[in-house]
Amino acid sequence: MIWAVKEFKSMNLGDPRRKQRAIHLIESLSAKPTASIPQACGDWADTIGAYRFFGNEEVQWEDILAPHIENSVARMAAHEHVLCIQDTTELNFNGQKAKGLGPLSYEAQRGMYLHPTYAISTSREPLGVLDAWMWARQPRQSDGSRPGVSESLRWIEGYERLAEMAPQLPNTRLVYVADREADIMALMVRARDLGEPVDWLLRSKHNRVLGEDDKLWSRVTAGDSQGEIRFTLASRQGSRPREVVQQVWAQALELPDGHGGFVQATCIVAREEPLANGEKPIEWRLLTNLPVETLEQAARMIDWYRARWEIEMFFHVLKNGCRIEALQLGSVSKIERAVVLYMVVAWRIARLMRLGRSCPQLDAQLMFEPDEWKAAYILNKQELPKEPPTLNEVVRLIARLGGFLARKRDGEPGVKTIWLGMQRILDFAAGIRFCRELQAQGTYV
């Protein structure tokens, strides 16, 4: 687990023992992401230590995440553009008695919300978690209003945090990417007033009025399209992969800011024609501060927006792979400390999957220790290679241990088979190391 030591090397929690405990915890949780905390820790002493760490009020979750953010920024520096995706997910702890939980989408449900900023490259390589909002809602009052700070503030603050980070990356342009909920004029105004140190790309929710009998989407699509784009829509639950052909329009506009001024933006509309099988055609309407004068530029914006799916994959790993909604920690503050560690675990699992696909010839030893990649071969009953293998070879072997069949038509493995296979690999590698220690002591199994 050398990666955990490197990732959290600069951690400062006020006491070296807390840092040691945090690193030991991340090693245990990443080795068995689907296990409960006692199962992941393995013995009673480590389990008690984990619960004490999560319950330590002197440990702030921001300090736990800080070294990962630092390393994420270092990874981002190698890229010309980095997509900084923001989105919100519910964490449902219904039925638990943890202090501080609040209502979810349904007022009777109990839980909290997580809103991270997830950085990826334009080739969809996960680079890290840059920020997070975590909160529990207050119950509605008798008049239907909900007390507390407006939740829309998280989108604006998310942009401001990126703007603060931008000077650290003079050769990298950050692009804030978000779905419909972020189509807020206050966000665009804030970006404008800051001089747009970070670009933004949002899915349009509001068909804004631009003038009498003149609305945003109809104006953009009034003329001829710039042309068409084609891409393969990946398979989703209940649907197979299919080719998508969209007509594309783009137009620069001045959007009224509601205070007598305007925000300069480009609106892009990508529309699929009605399908013969009756399936709903795909149409995207996007807003960006970036210039879009050609079909190539429009296609790039659409491709960047499509990359927003990576944060959905991240949430999938976090909630189904790491099972954070099964945590029983007694209070929101304890849950927050655990969620931060699990976010780093989820990022690493997603990173292994994506790098195995996008950089298949990468040396496996950059991501795995020798005992780990050798365990992948041994458990698959394959002869160890004479030279260190590639990342793709090892990832596929790990996934096979998690149920991936590796048939020609199966493509590349997904995150679920990787996180299941990783548990077997890390357990076996730990056994190898233990046997080596016994041998060094002159004791033989």
Side-chain angles (χ1 to χ4, degrees):
M1 286 293 181
I2 296 175
W3 77 269
V5 176
K6 291 180 178 178
E7 194 70 17
F8 290 95
K9 183 178 180 180
S10 63
M11 178 183 286
N12 182 7
L13 300 180
D15 187 322
R17 291 170 297 180
R18 294 175 190 161
K19 175 181 176 180
Q20 185 178 1
R21 173 61 63 186
I23 293 174
H24 184 64
L25 258 174
I26 197 76
E27 291 175 342
S28 299
L29 298 178
S30 62
K32 296 182 178 179
T34 62
S36 65
I37 290 173
Q39 288 172 333
C41 290
D43 60 45
W44 183 242
D46 277 352
T47 300
I48 292 297
Y51 283 121
R52 285 177 177 168
F53 179 83
F54 292 137
N56 191 334
E57 296 298 331
E58 295 183 15
V59 175
Q60 303 300 314
W61 68 259
E62 293 89 346
D63 294 331
I64 299 174
L65 189 61
H68 172 70
I69 295 174
E70 181 182 322
N71 281 292
S72 299
V73 170
R75 287 185 285 267
M76 292 160 67
H79 300 271
E80 183 179 356
H81 291 91
V82 170
L83 308 181
C84 303
I85 310 170
Q86 294 204 3
D87 202 2
T88 305
T89 190
E90 288 185 346
L91 302 182
N92 190 336
F93 295 106
N94 206 33
Q96 296 192 28
K97 297 181 179 179
K99 294 179 181 178
L101 296 177
L104 299 175
S105 298
Y106 295 99
E107 202 72 13
Q109 289 182 319
R110 308 291 291 173
M112 56 185 289
Y113 287 85
L114 170 65
H115 180 91
T117 302
Y118 189 55
I120 67 170
S121 70
T122 54
S123 61
R124 303 195 181 191
E125 174 193 342
L127 302 173
V129 179
L130 303 180
D131 186 22
W133 254 55
M134 289 186 277
W135 78 99
R137 283 176 170 170
Q138 296 294 319
R140 289 191 185 277
Q141 297 181 332
S142 57
D143 62 359
S145 63
R146 195 184 301 279
V149 176
S150 172
E151 292 181 5
S152 64
L153 183 63
R154 68 190 186 274
W155 301 101
I156 300 168
E157 279 202 1
Y159 183 91
E160 291 173 339
R161 301 265 179 91
L162 290 175
E164 293 168 0
M165 188 177 293
Q168 302 176 49
L169 296 159
N171 299 316
T172 301
R173 190 67 186 180
L174 307 184
V175 184
Y176 176 108
V177 181
D179 211 353
R180 293 182 181 93
E181 198 176 349
D183 182 6
I184 305 169
M185 181 50 64
L187 168 61
M188 293 180 255
V189 168
R190 184 59 177 151
R192 179 199 65 190
D193 293 346
L194 289 173
E196 294 181 331
V198 175
D199 295 320
W200 46 271
L201 176 63
L202 314 173
R203 189 164 183 180
S204 176
K205 179 181 180 181
H206 306 292
N207 191 12
R208 291 180 168 83
V209 176
L210 303 179
E212 189 175 350
D213 298 325
D214 186 15
K215 289 193 173 182
L216 175 61
W217 300 337
S218 57
R219 180 190 287 190
V220 174
T221 57
D224 295 334
S225 70
Q226 290 185 337
E228 67 178 31
I229 61 170
R230 294 173 179 265
F231 60 88
T232 300
L233 186 68
S235 61
R236 305 285 168 87
Q237 189 171 7
S239 64
R240 295 181 178 181
R242 68 176 180 86
E243 184 181 45
V244 175
V245 181
Q246 291 178 316
Q247 296 295 318
V248 178
W249 293 262
Q251 186 175 341
L253 308 129
E254 293 181 350
L255 302 179
D257 66 4
H259 300 283
F262 65 88
V263 170
Q264 188 72 45
T266 299
C267 181
I268 304 165
V269 177
R271 177 182 296 163
E272 188 178 26
E273 296 297 327
L275 301 174
N277 61 5
E279 189 175 348
K280 186 178 179 180
I282 295 173
E283 181 169 346
W284 290 317
R285 307 178 188 102
L286 308 176
L287 290 170
T288 181
N289 69 306
L290 291 162
V292 180
E293 299 172 353
T294 66
L295 179 62
E296 182 181 2
Q297 290 173 327
R300 181 168 68 164
M301 293 300 103
I302 293 165
D303 185 60
W304 287 1
Y305 177 75
R306 289 177 58 218
R308 199 198 69 82
W309 178 252
E310 295 301 313
I311 199 169
E312 302 292 351
M313 184 66 70
F314 174 73
F315 288 151
H316 173 64
V317 177
L318 192 62
K319 297 169 78 169
N320 297 300
C322 300
R323 301 179 64 242
I324 59 171
E325 291 173 313
L327 291 171
Q328 298 186 34
L329 289 173
S331 72
V332 166
S333 61
K334 294 177 183 179
I335 293 171
E336 288 174 342
R337 296 183 191 100
V339 166
V340 167
L341 291 179
Y342 276 113
M343 282 199 294
V344 180
V345 172
W347 157 77
R348 185 168 185 261
I349 292 171
R351 180 172 169 81
L352 285 174
M353 180 202 72
R354 188 56 68 185
L355 285 178
R357 296 181 180 185
S358 61
C359 304
Q361 298 305 312
L362 202 66
D363 187 343
Q365 295 191 124
L366 294 175
M367 301 296 292
F368 295 101
E369 296 174 35
D371 287 341
E372 293 169 353
W373 68 255
K374 289 177 182 177
Y377 279 87
I378 294 170
L379 289 174
N380 277 284
K381 299 180 181 178
Q382 292 192 15
E383 184 178 349
L384 291 176
K386 295 180 180 179
E387 299 293 333
T390 66
L391 179 61
N392 183 258
E393 289 169 342
V394 173
V395 167
R396 289 177 70 88
L397 288 173
I398 291 172
R400 288 178 64 174
L401 297 171
F404 178 61
L405 298 178
R407 298 168 298 189
K408 288 185 178 180
R409 64 178 182 273
D410 289 334
E412 295 299 326
V415 288
K416 184 175 182 179
T417 55
I418 292 173
W419 81 57
L420 291 173
M422 281 294 294
Q423 295 179 69
R424 295 188 61 188
I425 291 297
L426 295 174
D427 280 344
F428 194 86
I432 292 174
R433 286 191 288 270
F434 182 64
C435 289
R436 190 181 295 123
E437 291 171 5
L438 291 178
Q439 187 176 16
Q441 296 169 9
T443 306
Y444 297 92
V445 177

